[in-house]
Amino acid sequence: MRTLPLITVILFIHIQSISQELTVFKGEEQLPVNQLDDQFWHVVMDEEEYYLLQRTAVETLAKRVDSLKAVVEHRDSIIAARERLLTAYEEFEKRADEHIEVQNQIITTADSLFHGYRSLYNDLKELIATPTFAFTGGLGVVYLEDDVWRPVGMVGLQYHHWQAQYQIGRRYHGVVVGFRLPVLF
């Protein structure tokens, strides 16, 4: 932004007032002065623009400039504070994104472990679990009163760990109710 110099005191330049017109002399050179309004005049000297003002106008403008500088400084401090907040929020967002990424990795790992343990559970369940209902059967021998061992067949039904069997043999019939208790080593 180009600033225009304000002349309040002119040394070595004579201003001559003839009725309402002003003329500025620089040495022997006479420079025309243009009146902009009742309080402002404009002159071009050495290809530079100069403005002639009354002292009260200069003081009023100086106060206005000081006031506007204070407003600019205040707004600059607000902008600086907002930029610091924005930087802090961006850092927070960056850390939150990193945290979310870590959480997603943890969720992926946990999901993988869940499916792995579920698969292992299902495999072990097939190996050691008993069904809700099952038919049982078998062959065996029984010792009778006359010191004779006789073969018998067994047919039964199982509910969870409870078993009921009917034993059939020659001159022998029996019912057995039992409980299945797995022993884990």
Side-chain angles (χ1 to χ4, degrees):
M1 178 174 153
R2 183 176 170 203
T3 57
L4 302 175
L6 296 175
I7 298 177
T8 55
V9 178
I10 301 175
L11 300 175
F12 303 106
I13 299 174
H14 302 286
I15 301 177
Q16 180 181 17
S17 175
I18 303 173
S19 78
Q20 290 289 359
E21 293 185 24
L22 289 176
T23 305
V24 175
F25 292 91
K26 180 179 177 190
E28 295 296 322
E29 184 180 2
Q30 181 179 351
L31 303 170
V33 178
N34 299 320
Q35 185 172 2
L36 300 176
D37 66 17
D38 292 341
Q39 297 179 354
F40 296 100
W41 293 270
H42 175 258
V43 66
V44 176
M45 188 178 347
D46 296 331
E47 297 181 15
E48 290 281 336
E49 292 183 332
Y50 293 91
Y51 291 92
L52 303 172
L53 312 170
Q54 292 178 353
R55 177 178 292 267
T56 57
V58 171
E59 290 171 354
T60 303
L61 287 174
K63 287 179 185 177
R64 179 77 176 139
V65 166
D66 289 341
S67 172
L68 291 174
K69 280 183 183 178
V71 169
V72 167
E73 288 175 3
H74 176 69
R75 289 185 179 162
D76 284 346
S77 69
I78 290 173
I79 289 171
R82 287 182 178 173
E83 285 176 351
R84 286 191 304 273
L85 274 175
L86 184 61
T87 301
Y89 288 144
E90 287 171 350
E91 182 64 26
F92 176 77
E93 181 182 24
K94 178 183 168 192
R95 288 184 181 180
D97 288 342
E98 291 171 357
H99 180 72
I100 289 170
E101 182 61 34
V102 168
Q103 293 299 316
N104 285 336
Q105 290 173 355
I106 290 172
I107 289 171
T108 302
T109 302
D111 190 52
S112 174
L113 287 172
F114 171 76
H115 288 296
Y117 282 124
R118 185 181 213 177
S119 175
L120 180 63
Y121 168 77
N122 289 334
D123 292 345
L124 286 174
K125 185 177 176 183
E126 288 179 14
L127 291 175
I128 62 171
T130 57
T132 304
F133 288 100
F135 291 106
T136 61
L139 296 173
V141 292
V142 290
Y143 181 73
L144 298 176
E145 303 168 355
D146 50 355
D147 291 335
V148 178
W149 289 90
R150 302 250 182 203
V152 292
M154 294 173 276
V155 177
L157 181 65
Q158 177 177 329
Y159 174 74
H160 288 292
H161 292 285
W162 291 96
Q163 297 177 355
Q165 294 181 336
Y166 179 69
Q167 298 176 344
I168 305 168
R170 192 166 23 133
R171 291 190 299 156
Y172 178 79
H173 298 280
V175 174
V176 176
V177 175
F179 184 79
R180 180 176 176 270
L181 182 65
V183 179
L184 303 175
F185 292 98

